Amino acid sequence: MRNAFHDDLDRVSDQLVAMTGMVGTAMKRATEALVNADLGIAESVIAADDDIDQVRRQVDDLSVDLLARQQPVATDLRMVVTAMHMASDIERMGDLARHIAKIARMRYPNRAVPAEVLPHITAMSECAIDLAAKTGEAIDSKDVHAALAIQQADEKMDELHRQIFQALHSERWDHPTETAVDITLLSRYYERFGDHAVAVANRIVYLVTGRYGDPDEGLSR
Amino acid sequence: MRNAFHDDLDRVSDQLVAMTGMVGTAMKRATEALVNADLGIAESVIAADDDIDQVRRQVDDLSVDLLARQQPVATDLRMVVTAMHMASDIERMGDLARHIAKIARMRYPNRAVPAEVLPHITAMSECAIDLAAKTGEAIDSKDVHAALAIQQADEKMDELHRQIFQALHSERWDHPTETAVDITLLSRYYERFGDHAVAVANRIVYLVTGRYGDPDEGLSR
């Protein structure tokens, strides 16, 4: 039966889905800034992160308000607590997009990424944008299969991350240390973006099935 | 007036303080593994992270149970929600110690860190251990000054992080790319450990003063 609690929870869920849209856009534009050495776009991504932080606070406030007014128990209570954890993960995804934009800004007017690494970075970005979209769908549908699709999509991200480290360690790698440092951090940021999407997925799986994954577990490197 | 709610909340708080002790030890031993290229210690840090994850789940379960049974409102409610966020931050500090141990393990029998960087890594580790201890004290005392001391101590960590990046970018740096990649990630892990301590500090400040910091904000690099 629908009631005021579920209407409130829908509002929280809608905010979370909106956040996934915002972090997907942030990641798309951060990568544009990086690939084209575009200072204006980099600055706009960095500034827009405040909006994501703001929505996250709204989710926290709405959730606490909901707990106070509706006093949910059992699964309803778990759903509100889970929503707050998800907001934290998605906000962190926005931070990672901002970190990428900051590297683009730091190297401007140069491009941080050498030409031969560009296809890899673009592939990681596409993977991240896909993960953000899938995360929104899974939150909206609360469907276990949608959540499992996130875990699968993240395997591709992990593979791309491994490949970049292989390239960094290969004999053909011939760039200054500064570039190696930038690429190391960039690849880590994309990979962590994926890890947080997986954390959201694991929370949805737990909510629906009661089976614990490790919501904060991700690939180390 | 003391009541059942406050007894339960004390139990949650005690678990959080225990977690800060565990992540401080994990960081100490991870650095030992790194500095001495000690595989056994590295393996034990990696294995012990499961225990930290376990306590975090206990905090989550205790908190949800507390919300369901005691139905707190206003500040009491905020305290329980904050405790869950803190558990997430402290668990993540444990993950970062594990990441450091994994780099020690990956390079064994070699040492991942060249001799001239060792004093810096040791200083970052000491800073991290100090931050973990201060985080435990601040959670235990709920004292704003104890929380502000964390923010101050983290400035030293950020300075050490900057210095390592300067060393990586200097002309005197003369090591293979693999080493630059390892040092980049290691420095990032120590710095992020500090950021999560600051996130806990910001939450305590907010709880006591009602003033929002950005609990997830840290230095980008």
Side-chain angles (χ1 to χ4, degrees), chain B residues 22-35:
Chain B
M22 292 167 90
V23 301
T25 301
M27 195 47 118
K28 183 169 180 290
R29 289 174 57 77
T31 305
E32 277 171 30
L34 192 66
V35 168

Side-chain angles (χ1 to χ4, degrees), chain A residues 53 56-57 60-61 64 67-68 71-74 77-78 81 84-85 88 91-92 95-96 98-99 102-103 106-107 165 168-169 173 175 177-178 180-182 184-185 188-189 192 203 206 212-221, chain B residues 53 56-57 60-61 64 67-68 71-74 77-78 81 84-85 88 91-92 95-96 98-99 102-103 106-107 165 168-169 173 175 177-178 180-182 184-185 188-189 192 203 206 212-221:
Chain A
D53 295 350
R56 186 259 169 96
R57 281 177 204 166
D60 268 5
D61 290 345
V64 168
L67 290 174
Q71 309 267 333
V73 294
L77 172 55
R78 275 272 172 204
V81 168
M84 284 190 283
H85 285 310
S88 171
E91 189 209 313
R92 184 72 200 137
D95 289 344
L96 292 161
R98 188 191 57 199
H99 288 349
K102 280 190 175 176
I103 289 185
M106 185 168 53
R107 297 296 168 224
F165 276 86
L168 282 167
H169 291 162
W173 180 262
H175 296 283
T177 300
E178 179 178 282
V181 169
D182 286 348
T184 300
L185 289 173
R188 170 112 188 125
Y189 296 152
R192 286 296 300 161
R203 292 189 198 284
Y206 176 64
Y212 252 131
D214 182 344
D216 291 304
E217 180 57 25
L219 244 201
S220 155
R221 54 176 296 177
Chain B
D53 295 350
R56 186 260 169 96
R57 281 177 203 165
D60 268 6
D61 290 343
V64 168
L67 290 173
Q71 308 268 338
V73 295
L77 172 55
R78 274 274 172 204
V81 168
M84 284 190 283
H85 285 310
S88 170
E91 190 209 312
R92 184 74 199 135
D95 289 344
L96 292 161
R98 188 191 55 197
H99 288 349
K102 280 190 176 177
I103 290 185
M106 186 167 51
R107 298 297 167 222
F165 275 86
L168 282 167
H169 292 163
W173 180 262
H175 295 284
T177 300
E178 179 178 281
V181 169
D182 285 348
T184 300
L185 289 173
R188 171 106 187 129
Y189 296 151
R192 285 297 299 161
R203 292 188 197 286
Y206 176 64
Y212 253 129
D214 182 345
D216 292 303
E217 182 57 25
L219 244 203
S220 156
R221 53 176 299 174

Side-chain angles (χ1 to χ4, degrees), chain B residues 19-144:
Chain B
M19 282 181 79
T20 63
M22 292 167 90
V23 301
T25 301
M27 195 47 118
K28 183 169 180 290
R29 289 174 57 77
T31 305
E32 277 171 30
L34 192 66
V35 168
N36 304 319
D38 189 318
L39 183 62
I41 295 180
E43 295 281 11
S44 82
V45 172
I46 294 163
D49 191 50
D50 284 347
D51 299 337
I52 299 169
D53 295 350
Q54 185 104 21
V55 180
R56 186 260 169 96
R57 281 177 203 165
Q58 287 171 8
V59 170
D60 268 6
D61 290 343
L62 267 173
S63 302
V64 168
D65 187 52
L66 202 166
L67 290 173
R69 280 187 300 105
Q70 310 275 2
Q71 308 268 338
V73 295
T75 303
D76 287 349
L77 172 55
R78 274 274 172 204
M79 287 171 82
V80 182
V81 168
T82 298
M84 284 190 283
H85 285 310
M86 287 179 180
S88 170
D89 279 310
I90 304 168
E91 190 209 312
R92 184 74 199 135
M93 292 163 83
D95 289 344
L96 292 161
R98 188 191 55 197
H99 288 349
I100 290 169
K102 280 190 176 177
I103 290 185
R105 181 173 71 177
M106 186 167 51
R107 298 297 167 222
Y108 178 84
N110 296 317
R111 195 180 59 202
V113 180
E116 85 255 28
V117 185
L118 281 179
H120 250 85
I121 290 288
T122 304
M124 288 187 104
S125 172
E126 281 166 6
C127 197
I129 295 162
D130 178 49
L131 280 164
K134 282 188 163 61
T135 302
E137 287 160 22
I139 292 170
D140 195 41
S141 65
K142 275 108 196 150
D143 179 76
V144 172

